[in-house]
């Protein structure tokens, strides 16, 4: 494997040097990284648009009586097979070079998603075919993501990797703001199938960028995997002997599970309850993303607060932000609540990871984080899959409110257990 390229920040234009914070200048001075990050940005924007379009097209294709089931199936198909692929293809793909994994995912995603608008234009797109195409498109997505971050690690020296990962993550967050806003307008005035076609083109664009960019080739011994299954097994064994960390993982798993139905119920709430166009769904998710970015930026200030109480408070506050949906309040109120919910939800992942880092023995941290990743891989997709039957049985408004109520209950149980654990030493 070739050595990481060390770029000189002086290679950057002077105007850019003045605008970019010092920590990011060496990373952005790397021409290869700049080309890659452009491809990632375009691809993330496509994914942000699909966040709205996947559910909206399912609503358009499905019979009215079973719309909830088909929306749940479509949203789950866009994510859940990636979990299966991450776990099932480990033996075959773990030693494949990172660049090839990224290309394989991009090509599969681009070709199969591109078939959706073609089938729609030909009048051949049925709900069943649509779900199958989404499922096939996502099979390698976890491997593509793992390959992407491995490729960045191979491209850059150690001291630049944090800045690079932060830039890539920030682009992903930004796409959750811009993508839904654009898609909300496009699904209203052009068609949701064509939006998925645009997403396919963004993967084609990223493929071209990767192919035409000089990237380091991984050695055959370079292991890439979405989940380190060996480390995860050891991590689960360690977690069983540490109730506090096992409790944190359990709380996080159920929190993500209860979030899943929201992705199914919200589009149906817009269409069935509010009889509104796709632009409103785009507005909901755009403001959620905006709130999540603000909440994520505020996480630095939250570090001064006790991590456990703040983590539990986030769980309860997110549930409370969903409760107004169940009471039929004006749409403007739920839009504001959803944006506040994004600001609440955004800091949860970094805080929960920080709490795990703080409470884990340093020598076992890697194994415990691997166990965490393996467990959480299933939570949100499973919740999304359950969201279809729940929405069909209860209705979108009740599903959203019920998800909030169940999340508040989860936080309340965690609060009681946390209080009991803190009182326990004083009774000895």
């Amino acid at each position: 494997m070739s050595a990481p390229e060390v770029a000189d920040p002086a290679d950057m234009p002077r105007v850019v040097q003045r605008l970019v914070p010092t920590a990011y200048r060496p990373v952005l001075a790397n021409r290869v990284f700049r080309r890659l990050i452009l491809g990632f940005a375009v691809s993330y924007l496509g994914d942000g648009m699909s966040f709205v379009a996947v559910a909206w097209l399912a609503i358009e294709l499905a019979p009215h009586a079973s719309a909830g089931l088909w929306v749940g199936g479509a949203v789950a198909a866009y994510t859940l097979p990636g979990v299966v692929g991450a776990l099932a293809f480990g033996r075959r793909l773990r030693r494949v070079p990172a660049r090839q994994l990224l290309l394989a995912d991009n090509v599969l995603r681009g070709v199969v998603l591109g078939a959706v608008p073609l089938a729609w234009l030909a009048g051949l797109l049925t709900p069943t075919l649509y779900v199958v195409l989404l499922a096939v498109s996502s099979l390698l997505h976890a491997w593509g993501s793992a390959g992407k971050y491995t490729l960045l690690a191979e491209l850059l020296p150690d001291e630049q990797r944090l800045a690079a990962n932060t830039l890539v993550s920030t682009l992903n967050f930004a796409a959750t703001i811009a993508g839904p806003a654009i898609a909300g307008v496009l699904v209203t005035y052009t068609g949701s199938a064509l939006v998925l076609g645009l997403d396919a083109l963004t993967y084609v664009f990223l493929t071209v960028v990767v192919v035409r960019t000089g990237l380091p080739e991984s050695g055959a011994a370079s292991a890439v995997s979405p989940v380190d299954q060996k480390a995860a097994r050891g991590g689960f064994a360690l977690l069983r002997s540490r109730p506090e960390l096992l409790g944190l993982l359990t709380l996080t798993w159920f929190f993500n599970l209860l979030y899943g139905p929201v992705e199914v119920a919200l589009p149906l709430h817009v269409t069935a309850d509010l009889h509104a166009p796709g632009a409103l769904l785009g507005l909901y998710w755009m403001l959620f993303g905006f709130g999540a970015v603000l909440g994520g930026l505020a996480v630095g200030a939250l570090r001064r607060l006790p991590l456990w109480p703040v983590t539990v408070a986030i769980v309860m506050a997110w549930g409370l932000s969903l409760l107004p949906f169940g009471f039929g309040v004006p749409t403007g109120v739920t839009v504001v609540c959803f944006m506040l919910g994004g600001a609440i939800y955004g800091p949860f992942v970094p805080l929960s990871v920080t709490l795990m880092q703080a409470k884990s023995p340093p020598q076992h941290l890697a194994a415990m984080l691997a166990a965490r990743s393996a467990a959480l891989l299933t939570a949100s997709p499973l919740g999304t899959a359950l969201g279809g039957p729940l929405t069909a049985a209860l209705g979108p408004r009740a599903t959203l409110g019920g998800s909030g109520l169940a999340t508040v209950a989860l936080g309340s149980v965690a609060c009681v257990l946390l209080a009991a654990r803190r009182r326990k030493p004083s009774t000895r």
Side-chain angles (χ1 to χ4, degrees):
M1 183 179 68
S2 59
E5 177 180 338
V6 179
D8 185 356
D11 293 339
M12 298 172 61
R14 290 185 178 180
V15 174
V16 177
Q17 289 184 46
R18 288 196 295 267
L19 295 175
V20 175
T22 304
Y24 298 107
R25 291 175 189 172
V27 179
L28 291 175
N30 188 309
R31 291 186 177 87
V32 175
F33 177 80
R34 289 203 303 269
R35 294 189 68 178
L36 279 180
I37 204 170
L38 173 62
F40 294 156
V42 172
S43 178
Y44 285 151
L45 182 63
D47 286 343
M49 292 190 294
S50 288
F51 207 60
V52 171
V54 165
W56 203 262
L57 182 55
I59 292 172
E60 293 174 349
L61 294 173
H64 179 73
S66 58
L69 294 173
W70 285 110
V71 172
V75 175
Y78 197 60
T79 55
L80 192 57
V83 178
V84 177
L87 300 175
F89 301 150
R91 184 171 298 178
R92 292 179 178 272
L93 299 182
R94 188 176 292 114
R95 301 290 177 179
V96 174
R99 181 175 181 271
Q100 293 182 22
L101 286 176
L102 181 59
L103 285 173
D105 174 48
N106 291 340
V107 170
L108 180 65
R109 199 84 150 168
V111 169
V112 180
L113 286 180
V116 172
L118 294 178
W120 179 74
L121 289 170
L124 301 175
L125 191 63
T126 63
T128 301
L129 176 60
Y130 177 50
V131 171
V132 169
L133 289 173
L134 290 177
V136 174
S137 76
S138 68
L139 271 174
L140 297 179
H141 204 47
W143 287 96
S145 180
K148 172 176 60 184
Y149 284 102
T150 302
L151 195 60
L152 292 177
E154 295 171 346
L155 177 65
L156 300 167
D158 292 350
E159 64 273 13
Q160 295 181 11
R161 290 172 186 170
L162 176 60
N165 291 334
T166 301
L167 284 171
V168 172
S169 298
T170 301
L171 283 176
N172 201 359
F173 274 126
T176 65
I177 300 173
I182 296 170
V185 175
L186 291 178
V187 299
T188 302
Y189 295 105
T190 61
S192 46
L194 298 180
V195 176
L196 288 178
L198 289 177
D199 188 17
L201 289 178
T202 66
Y203 279 99
V204 173
F205 177 81
L206 179 55
T207 300
V208 173
V209 169
V210 173
V211 169
R212 297 186 63 182
T213 302
L215 295 172
E217 289 291 343
S218 303
S222 179
V224 180
S225 180
V227 177
D228 188 337
Q229 297 185 36
K230 182 177 179 180
R233 285 192 294 270
F236 283 124
L238 291 166
L239 286 169
R240 285 195 294 269
S241 64
R242 290 170 172 79
E244 183 179 12
L245 293 176
L246 185 59
L248 174 62
L249 180 59
T250 303
L251 173 68
T252 307
W253 194 90
F254 277 103
F255 184 53
N256 289 347
L257 176 79
L258 293 173
Y259 165 81
V262 173
E263 294 189 4
V264 178
L266 185 62
L268 290 165
H269 172 65
V270 170
T271 56
D273 295 335
L274 303 178
H275 306 289
L280 179 59
L281 179 62
L283 178 66
Y284 271 116
W285 284 119
M286 180 191 74
L287 293 178
F288 177 89
F290 182 71
V293 170
L294 292 180
L297 292 174
V299 75
L302 293 177
R303 289 175 184 171
R304 298 185 178 90
L305 299 175
L307 290 175
W308 252 119
V310 172
T311 301
V312 173
I314 286 175
V315 173
M316 297 184 68
W318 164 250
L320 290 172
S321 74
L322 292 178
L323 289 181
F325 284 95
F327 294 110
V329 301
T331 301
V333 175
T334 59
V335 167
V336 172
C337 287
F338 206 61
M339 182 178 69
L340 292 175
I344 293 162
Y345 195 94
F348 181 82
V349 172
L351 278 174
S352 61
V353 171
T354 301
L355 184 55
M356 173 99 35
Q357 291 170 332
K359 300 295 182 179
S360 299
Q363 67 273 25
H364 299 315
L365 178 59
M368 289 184 171
L369 289 177
R372 179 185 184 277
S373 298
L376 298 184
L377 201 63
T378 62
S380 185
L382 181 58
T384 302
L386 294 174
L390 285 174
T391 306
L394 304 175
R397 183 175 284 135
T399 300
L400 288 165
S403 174
L405 187 62
T407 305
V408 171
L410 173 67
S412 300
V413 171
C415 188
V416 170
L417 294 176
L418 179 62
R421 181 175 179 82
R422 297 208 165 179
R423 284 197 303 267
K424 190 175 180 180
S426 62
T427 61
R428 291 181 180 176

